Amino acid sequence: MTAPTSCGGRTSDCGGTPPPALRGLGHFDEALKAYTEAKRIRTLVLGTSSPPVAATRNAEGHALSGLGRYTDAEAAHREVLDIHNLYADPHDPRVAEAYDGLGEALQGQGRHEEALACHRRALETYEVLYGEHHPRYAYSMSWIGIALAQTADAVEAMQACRKALDVYVASVGPSHLWAATCHEGLALSYARQGDTRRVEQHQAEAAVILQGVQGVRATGQIERLSQALARVRSDPSGH
């Protein structure tokens, strides 16, 4: 089914979704307020089930995950998928983005197997559309590594995170915010294997990237990594 074109078919129209700058800088509260206002305007103009509304709701979901409100984020991303199911091709990149967002929300709730399925679903689309050397492919791959690292498959997790990191280094640079996810996954993988030195190395790498981009606002994410590492160390089998 063809999506409505009331706004020229571009997500930048109809009030404009605020760019992800606030979210990327760790200003999750401010980003959420901006996205919520953009969604209100778009809903008034286009109704509740338009693709531009879905785009803003997806951004809301990411901001909610950034605030640790994972159940609310899950609800947001599921709403996005419901909208896209009305209009979008199953391999539309917007669908893949929603699956990645849903996976992140599920990971935050400790539902790693469900999250893994979501990220693999997104990866399939990115591989078809962009190939294996694109940052969006690496994004899904890094989150697959995070999920695997917390379900006892440390070797496969390392492979996924290193593959994603190689793509980031070649395409956007080693200090890009997304590269921090790879280091988090590697830290979790080495924690599963009991390799304290490498855990500390990658934990520090992730912290340096996060602090370089987000400053003091990186504290929450750094603390969440520390908590995840503690859980892995207390249960290396992943059960």
Side-chain angles (χ1 to χ4, degrees):
M1 187 182 295
T2 303
T5 57
S6 313
C7 296
R10 299 191 304 272
T11 58
S12 58
D13 297 327
C14 298
T17 299
L22 286 171
R23 196 174 79 225
L25 292 170
H27 297 263
F28 298 114
D29 277 317
E30 295 172 65
L32 182 59
K33 290 175 184 176
Y35 292 138
T36 300
E37 178 61 12
K39 185 187 68 176
R40 184 187 69 81
I41 295 169
R42 286 179 164 179
T43 300
L44 285 173
V45 176
L46 300 169
T48 58
S49 299
S50 71
V53 169
T56 314
R57 187 68 171 132
N58 199 57
E60 272 189 318
H62 283 293
L64 287 163
S65 282
L67 291 168
R69 293 170 55 183
Y70 297 115
T71 55
D72 292 335
E74 178 188 353
H77 292 299
R78 290 194 186 281
E79 286 177 27
V80 172
L81 287 169
D82 287 342
I83 294 172
H84 286 323
N85 283 337
L86 297 173
Y87 308 115
D89 182 274
H91 289 294
D92 189 297
R94 295 170 297 179
V95 176
E97 289 169 16
Y99 272 111
D100 266 336
L102 177 57
E104 291 172 43
L106 292 169
Q107 297 232 45
Q109 299 174 63
R111 294 157 63 185
H112 304 299
E113 294 287 354
E114 294 173 72
L116 186 58
C118 289
H119 294 304
R120 282 180 166 156
R121 170 67 177 76
L123 188 75
E124 289 176 9
T125 293
Y126 292 135
E127 185 171 8
V128 169
L129 293 178
Y130 306 135
E132 296 185 3
H133 301 289
H134 192 278
R136 287 301 323 191
Y137 177 92
Y139 186 88
S140 298
M141 182 64 77
S142 66
W143 279 98
I144 286 171
I146 291 277
L148 288 169
Q150 296 178 94
T151 53
D153 200 334
V155 174
E156 190 177 352
M158 286 180 201
Q159 292 171 344
C161 290
R162 290 196 181 283
K163 184 173 184 177
L165 187 58
D166 286 345
V167 174
Y168 286 143
V169 169
S171 59
V172 295
S175 299
H176 191 280
L177 185 61
W178 289 355
T181 307
C182 302
H183 289 292
E184 290 174 0
L186 288 166
L188 290 164
S189 301
Y190 284 118
R192 183 76 66 202
Q193 295 186 330
D195 190 333
T196 302
R197 182 182 64 82
R198 286 179 172 162
V199 169
E200 292 174 350
Q201 174 191 339
H202 288 287
Q203 187 177 12
E205 291 276 7
V208 166
I209 294 170
L210 290 167
Q211 289 169 340
V213 176
Q214 298 180 346
V216 296
R217 291 178 178 83
T219 303
Q221 189 166 343
I222 292 170
E223 178 58 29
R224 285 194 288 273
L225 174 58
S226 296
Q227 292 169 356
L229 287 167
R231 287 192 295 272
V232 168
R233 285 168 172 143
S234 68
D235 182 17
S237 68
H239 299 301

